[in-house]
Amino acid sequence: MYKNIVAFIQEVYKTKDFLPLHEPLFIGNEKKYLNDCIDSTFVSSVGKYVDRFEEEFAKKVGSKYAIATVNGTAALHVSLILAGVTKDDEVITQPLTFIATCNAIEYIGAKSVFVDVDVDTMGLSPDALEIFLEENCEIRNGACVNKTTNKTIKACVPMHTFGHACRIDEILEVCTKWHITLVEDAAESLGSFYKEKHTGTFGKVSAFSFNGNKIITSGGGGVIVTDDEVLAKRAKHLTTTAKIPHKWEYVHDCVGFNYRMPNLNAALLVAQLEQLEVFLVSKRELALKYEIFFEENKEIEFIKQPENSSSNYWLQAIIVKDVKKRDAFLDYTNTNGVMTRPIWKLMNELEMFKECQCGDLKNAKYLEERVVNITSSVRV
Ligand SMILES: Cc1ncc(COP(=O)(O)O)c(C=O)c1O
């Protein structure tokens, strides 16, 4: 059976050569803008491509402001600071995510609290969130306090797994009721919508990534988006070493970060952003091919976009229903030139996060044991 799957993927990609999980594609103005950037000598922290990217990105996702950063982790780190998270606070997130989500929380000195995901979205479950808060928390002086630890739960960070939107409007509702600030980890979901609104525009502040494996890439890069002018200004300030603008003086008013995106990367990204619609069509066409192919398969389920959403299908994913067969699938495909990869280990099972408080994580565990990413590169 696995032989058929490998043959199908090779047929879709019209090659028997090794197929990586996700390759970037440069088919537009990338070289032109990079050359222009090099010719201008503005390859570093100042230049027109950074401003242009920020403007065009904000327009693309429908947010008021976008602040480019050196990577998505840096964008998340600063987003959490903007949300008011400080040392000793707690932040609710999902256990099924890439490590950067929890690392960013740790950078502040805050602690992750893990709440379960929904099986269909693979993202934070608003129902599990509500249950966790009802059972463990109370409002004291306008803040959500965890009764077990006596710490404030300042923010909640859901993630749109592989570009599938979680039930973000319901999550926002729960967060608002419990005085918790919503920060979206939209690293994987550029081009994904929930109820026709772009992911990453529901939270007070959100972060995207343009790492080499993302739907568009700047080599490395990220962006913070928000509709709040004060937060946007603070984001720019904090990501550019907190330097007070002056013709010649170097005065900084707090400990900031060198998290800015170089103009060179922004040049690449402006060209990539121009291709986004082409990439989205290709990803969604590929998803449809997989969906039809796996329809008759009793052992493997292709993961389709959840209700009320339009996915970018950044990484295509399947569920190997019988846990015992997952490794055989991974072994066969990877040995036969088609790269596949299991979903992440649960964060709460990693050494650094073992002490973190958890809700009931049965859905996350079910998915962790069965979800596998399959070939997802755009081909045009
Ligand atoms: C869910 C998630 N959060 C955060 C990040 C961090 O982004 P970056 O690699 O650009 O730092 C990534 C991607 O790498 C991610 O997939």
Side-chain angles (χ1 to χ4, degrees), residues 59-96:
K59 208 186 298 165
K60 179 65 82 184
V61 300
S63 74
K64 283 199 183 140
Y65 307 98
I67 301 90
T69 59
V70 68
N71 58 46
T73 311
L76 257 182
H77 182 192
V78 173
S79 294
L80 288 164
I81 294 172
L82 297 172
V85 178
T86 56
K87 188 174 166 306
D88 299 332
D89 284 335
E90 291 180 344
V91 176
I92 291 180
T93 190
Q94 57 199 64
L96 198 63

Side-chain angles (χ1 to χ4, degrees), residues 236-251:
K236 196 63 171 175
H237 190 60
L238 285 176
T239 53
T240 54
T241 67
K243 183 177 179 294
I244 298 168
H246 190 278
K247 270 188 189 156
W248 56 80
E249 295 281 13
Y250 274 79
V251 181

Side-chain angles (χ1 to χ4, degrees), residues 71-74 76 97-98 100-101 159 185 187-188 208-211 213-214 221-222 314 344:
N71 58 46
T73 311
L76 257 182
T97 184
F98 179 60
T101 317
M159 197 276 281
D185 183 344
E188 305 182 353
F208 290 82
S209 163
F210 308 109
N211 184 35
N213 63 352
K214 295 298 183 289
W314 165 57
W344 316 280

Side-chain angles (χ1 to χ4, degrees), residues 24-37 48-54 56-57 60 190 210 215-219 261-280:
L25 194 62
F26 305 110
I27 50 169
N29 287 317
E30 286 86 354
K31 286 183 184 164
K32 183 174 163 209
Y33 296 165
L34 281 170
N35 277 333
D36 176 45
C37 187
K48 66 177 184 187
Y49 284 108
V50 175
D51 299 338
R52 187 168 152 190
F53 167 70
E54 289 178 342
E56 290 176 8
F57 190 84
K60 179 65 82 184
L190 175 60
F210 308 109
I215 189 159
I216 63 168
T217 183
S218 47
M261 176 185 285
N263 200 38
L264 204 54
N265 300 68
L268 185 60
L269 201 47
V270 169
Q272 285 269 285
L273 194 57
E274 291 171 353
Q275 299 300 318
L276 179 63
E277 300 310 317
V278 176
F279 293 173
L280 283 170

